[in-house]
Amino acid sequence: MKRVKVFAPGTVANIGCGFDVMGLTLDGVGDMVELTLYNDKKEFDNETRMLPAATCRACTSAVKNSSGTVLPQSAEKNVVTPAIEKMVETYMEERGIKEHFYIMTEILTKIRPGSGIGSSAASSAAAVYALNILLGKPFTDEKLVDFAMEGEKLISGTAHADNVGPAILGGVVFIRGYNPTDLIRLPVPEDFYCTVVHPHIMVSTKEARDMLPESVSRKDAIRQWGNVGGFVAGLLMDDMKLLGRSVEDAIAEPYRKKFIPGYDALKAELLGAGLLGVNIAGSGPSVFALSDSRSLADRGKEIMERHFALEKIENEIYVTKVGKTGARVVE
Ligand code: HSE
């Protein structure tokens, strides 16, 4: 058998203006998985006897949850399963191979599910990255994003790459288009920090997507693409003020903010204190604030702490640099 341990970081999807087309990597927060590729069924059965497993025409994939976090009991409902199945099927189709693969993914550490910082994406990103190594790296990292998106489809109903893209590639990732997925790695300024608060409120990604209207007005569309352009230009020109004022959203924030008690007041206080841009992380309920110094990022943390203490909502807060590295092997 072959075995490898991989870490994939948490991510902030959308970054305010880029609904489904932009995401950034958090530094040091994420999921760790250990993936095993067995030589045969007997070896697999010996090690995975009591574990939930799913079988497709290309592989049998078992999932072991050692993270201490509650995850779906059945393998079919775990995000790593469709990601791995799609990857093995593609591998075999491209090579005309007919054998059956036996794989176990052990989830060792896990971001709290439903946090909005890419908790589902980090596991599937880590799993496909690990399997690619054990198969001898037949796929590019960009192609791995396509496989990991299958996990997002399972969770939210739509295959989007704004969490799995940065979770695999690192840095800030822009998705110019889908079909085929066109991923662009944007430059990451040296002093670029993200403070994220995760209030313990349950918001499912599917629910947070289903509530959004199918169409937007021309006025909102103009505002949105102006901001996306501004954000990308801000990164390319290393203009943090431009980047910050581009963190606006007419697509999802107006609808999703109602899940977050006191959201408008929190945002106003953070911006008033000098944080560059504030918005909802992914589908929420986490809120992020961007800054260009550690002291400002820490100031954001104090404001978030006080806000949710007054709201009497438990939470956790991460203060990290925007990470430049995505999924990676852990020794
Ligand atoms: N772009 C996605 C959304 C990210 O906002 O629904 C969450 O998975």
Side-chain angles (χ1 to χ4, degrees), residues 9-210:
T11 47
V12 172
N14 301 342
I15 327 181
C17 53
F19 182 78
D20 277 2
V21 299
M22 208 154 62
L24 62 76
T25 308
L26 298 171
D27 202 19
V29 187
D31 286 11
M32 184 133 59
V33 311
E34 186 170 69
L35 191 128
T36 310
L37 180 61
Y38 294 90
N39 289 318
D40 54 38
K41 182 173 185 322
K42 203 164 144 224
E43 209 177 58
F44 173 83
D45 287 343
N46 276 342
E47 280 210 4
T48 65
R49 210 165 294 278
M50 305 299 283
L51 296 177
T55 298
C56 70
R57 64 189 162 87
C59 66
T60 302
S61 164
V63 182
K64 182 173 179 182
N65 177 17
S66 309
S67 68
T69 305
V70 179
L71 293 174
Q73 292 284 333
S74 81
E76 282 87 354
K77 290 199 175 135
N78 194 298
V79 290
V80 303
T81 305
I84 281 178
E85 286 180 349
K86 180 77 177 174
M87 182 166 169
V88 179
E89 277 169 12
T90 307
Y91 180 74
M92 287 169 52
E93 269 162 25
E94 284 183 358
R95 283 161 188 75
I97 304 173
K98 288 237 159 23
E99 73 184 278
H100 194 85
F101 285 73
Y102 293 90
I103 296 158
M104 176 177 72
T105 310
E106 180 171 2
I107 298 171
L108 300 169
T109 54
K110 174 104 211 88
I111 307 166
R112 193 186 274 262
S115 60
I117 54 166
S119 46
S120 54
S123 290
S124 46
V128 296
Y129 191 87
L131 183 55
N132 199 39
I133 287 171
L134 298 186
L135 291 173
K137 292 207 180 169
F139 297 111
T140 62
D141 286 352
E142 282 76 6
K143 187 67 195 163
L144 296 181
V145 172
D146 277 336
F147 303 136
M149 276 199 299
E150 294 297 316
E152 300 293 71
K153 194 165 154 191
L154 176 75
I155 288 285
S156 70
T158 318
H160 50 91
D162 48 345
N163 286 116
V164 287
I168 291 174
L169 303 175
V172 183
V173 173
F174 179 65
I175 304 127
R176 190 211 53 83
Y178 291 91
N179 302 314
T181 319
D182 190 356
L183 300 161
I184 296 154
R185 297 173 200 229
L186 293 169
V188 181
E190 211 37 65
D191 292 314
F192 191 14
Y193 292 84
C194 188
T195 311
V196 190
V197 59
H198 172 209
H200 295 181
I201 307 161
M202 267 320 288
V203 180
S204 88
T205 305
K206 180 147 191 346
E207 188 189 348
R209 290 181 77 82
D210 288 350

